[in-house]
Amino acid sequence: MFFVLPKEYREASLEELRERVGAAKAKLGRRLCILTHHYQRMEVVAFGDHLGDSYGLSKIAAVQEEADIIIFCGVHFMAEAADILTARHQKVYLSNPLAGCPMADMADMADVTRAWDSLKRFGGEKTFMPISYMNTAADLKAFTGKFGGLICTSSNADAALRYAFERKEKVFFCPDRNLGQNAGIKMGLKPHEMALWDFSREQGGLTDEEIERAKIIVWKGHCHVHTNFTVQHVDAMREKHPNAQIIVHPECIPEVVAKADTAGSTSLIVKYCADAPSGSTIAIGTELNLIDRLAHDHPDKTILPLSEAVCPVCPNMYRTTLNCLAYCVEKFADIEPISVSDELRSDVHLSLQRMLEVQ
Ligand code: 13P
Ligand code: SF4
C-alpha cells in the first residue's frame, strides 16, 4: 500500500491541526465517530469519541447506530473488525492506512493453511478448535470462524480457552505464542501440553508425539514491543522500588508474567491504575504511550514503565499523528475505506460474534 500525507497536512502546526479537526468534528456532528486505541498519542486521544482496547472498541463499533463515518485511530486489524461489526452503509477509515501490526503479519494464511492440513492426521477439525487473537488479518479470522472457532483478545483469552475446551479436545492458537502460553498456564496446563508451532519448519518442527500430547498448539508469533521486557527488568524494578506493584500485558513472555504481581489486558491495566490507592507506585510492562497517559491522568500515583532501558513504543500505533487525523476527518470522501471482502465477511462475523459472546 502506498500513502503519502499531502504537504498541506504535513506542514500544518499543531494549533492549526487542532482547530481543523475540531471544526470538522463539529460540522459532521453525530455522523462521525472517532475511536482511539489506548496506545495512541495524547493529542490524538484528545479528539476521540471513545477510548478503549481492541475488545472495548469492537463492542463500541458494534453498537454505533447514528454514525456513518467511523475513523479508527489504531491499527489495520482493528479497523477491519470494526468494518465487520458495523452495517454496510457505515464506512470505517483507518486514520493512517499504513498502520499495521507485525504480529498479525507473522501468521500468513498460506502458512496457517499448511499447518491446519498437517493437523488433519491428528484429528483435524474434530479435535482442534482454532482460536485466533484479534491481532490477525481478516482471512485468518474467516478461517477461524469457518472451522467453528473464535477470536479472542487479551481481555477474554482465558474465557475463549474455556469455551474451546468445553467443545473440543485441543486448541490451535494463532498468532501470539505468549498470550496463548500465558492463558494456558493460567488454566493449569503443563509445559508438555503446550506445543510451539514453528511455521518455518516441516510439521511445525514438532514430532507426532509432541502433537499428540499437546492440549494447545501455539503459533510462533510475538509482539516485538511487549517481548522487550525481561525478568531482569522485573528484578531491577523490585530492587529500586520495593513497594511497586508490577503489572504486565499477557503479550509479555511467560517468565515475566510469572514474576509480575498481575498480568492483564489493556483495560485491566487501565482499571488497576484507576483503582489503586493514592500514593501507590505501579510499574507497567506495556506500551509507552498508555503508561505516559496513565501517569498524566493519575498525578497522585507514581506510574512508571517496567524498564527505562527499553522504549516500548508501538511504532505502528505511533504512525497516527494529528496530521493524519486532520486529513482523514476532512478528506474521508476521497479515502478508500477499510473493507473486508464479501467472500470473507460472514465467516469473520461468526468468529467475532463468538468473541463478543465469550467474556
Ligand atoms: P488490546 O487487545 O489490549 O487492545 O491490545 C492490542 C494490542 O495490539 C496489544 O499489543
Ligand atoms: Fe501489534 Fe505489538 Fe503494536 Fe500491539 S503493540 S499493535 S501487538 S506491534
Side-chain angles (χ1 to χ4, degrees):
M1 151 132 229
F2 183 73
F3 170 71
V4 178
L5 194 64
K7 193 164 182 272
E8 171 196 348
Y9 291 92
R10 270 185 282 136
E11 293 184 351
S13 69
L14 210 52
E15 210 38 56
E16 184 190 339
L17 293 167
R18 284 199 178 103
E19 267 171 41
R20 288 173 73 160
V21 176
K25 275 193 78 168
K27 187 166 150 215
L28 291 165
R30 289 168 185 242
R31 282 193 65 198
L32 172 69
C33 173
I34 301 180
L35 302 176
T36 54
H37 188 269
H38 278 296
Y39 296 175
Q40 293 288 302
R41 298 161 185 255
M42 198 101 82
E43 64 271 22
V44 171
V45 167
F47 285 102
D49 295 299
H50 301 278
L51 172 66
D53 62 3
S54 60
Y55 184 68
L57 292 176
S58 297
K59 285 207 296 194
I60 289 165
V63 297
Q64 286 309 305
E65 281 180 359
E66 284 183 275
D68 62 337
I69 306 153
I70 293 163
I71 296 184
F72 216 114
C73 300
V75 291
H76 193 265
F77 69 81
M78 296 177 183
E80 276 188 338
D83 174 51
I84 292 292
L85 293 169
T86 49
R88 295 306 285 265
H89 73 280
Q90 296 173 301
K91 299 290 171 220
V92 177
Y93 301 90
L94 184 60
S95 47
N96 184 333
L98 298 180
C101 168
M103 182 211 279
D105 295 342
M106 286 176 200
D108 178 71
M109 206 48 230
D111 291 332
V112 173
T113 306
R114 207 170 313 119
W116 192 245
D117 286 345
S118 305
L119 292 176
K120 281 187 182 147
R121 232 165 36 83
F122 302 89
E125 60 183 295
K126 274 210 187 90
T127 304
F128 288 89
M129 179 180 287
I131 298 183
S132 299
Y133 195 18
M134 185 65 141
N135 300 36
T136 45
D139 53 3
L140 180 43
K141 288 193 176 75
F143 157 87
T144 307
K146 183 172 164 192
F147 289 105
L150 74 163
I151 300 305
C152 76
T153 68
S154 55
S155 307
N156 75 342
D158 308 340
L161 280 191
R162 284 196 298 278
Y163 173 94
F165 286 128
E166 279 161 17
R167 290 161 178 82
K168 294 276 165 86
E169 191 192 326
K170 292 168 187 265
V171 164
F172 175 58
F173 191 98
C174 288
D176 186 11
R177 59 182 287 178
N178 295 309
L179 180 66
Q181 286 175 339
N182 285 323
I185 292 168
K186 213 164 153 189
M187 272 200 107
L189 296 186
K190 305 279 179 304
H192 68 272
E193 293 176 309
M194 297 183 283
L196 187 63
W197 189 274
D198 180 347
F199 48 89
S200 66
R201 297 173 63 192
E202 202 51 43
Q203 197 169 279
L206 297 171
T207 62
D208 286 6
E209 198 197 352
E210 283 170 326
I211 296 178
E212 272 154 12
R213 68 184 185 205
K215 294 283 288 171
I216 309 186
I217 294 197
V218 293
W219 198 255
K220 197 180 175 188
H222 67 276
C223 165
H224 68 295
V225 178
H226 288 89
T227 50
N228 268 314
F229 297 110
T230 64
V231 288
Q232 287 77 18
H233 294 149
V234 180
D235 293 341
M237 178 56 68
R238 294 230 187 269
E239 207 174 311
K240 196 164 169 201
H241 296 278
N243 296 329
Q245 287 295 304
I246 298 181
I247 180 163
V248 300
H249 192 280
E251 285 175 17
C252 294
I253 59 171
E255 293 83 350
V256 165
V257 168
K259 281 208 149 196
D261 296 302
T262 315
S265 66
T266 301
S267 52
L268 189 134
I269 293 172
V270 171
K271 186 170 173 343
Y272 188 93
C273 291
D275 293 349
S278 193
S280 313
T281 300
I282 307 165
I284 312 179
T286 193
E287 210 277 339
L288 193 58
N289 278 288
L290 170 58
I291 302 172
D292 285 348
R293 219 184 48 257
L294 289 170
H296 174 271
D297 291 350
H298 301 289
D300 59 324
K301 303 167 198 177
T302 304
I303 296 179
L304 309 161
L306 177 55
S307 171
E308 300 282 355
V310 292
C311 179
V313 170
C314 173
N316 301 283
M317 291 280 184
Y318 207 59
R319 280 176 183 255
T320 297
T321 56
L322 198 57
N323 313 59
C324 296
L325 181 57
Y327 174 66
C328 195
V329 85
E330 287 185 349
K331 298 286 186 199
F332 63 88
D334 303 334
I335 299 173
E336 194 65 36
I338 301 297
S339 177
V340 174
S341 71
D342 287 345
E343 174 196 8
L344 299 176
R345 290 190 85 84
S346 69
D347 286 333
V348 177
H349 193 268
L350 260 180
S351 69
L352 287 169
Q353 203 49 47
R354 290 188 191 119
M355 170 191 85
L356 293 177
E357 284 158 17
V358 172
Q359 308 218 17

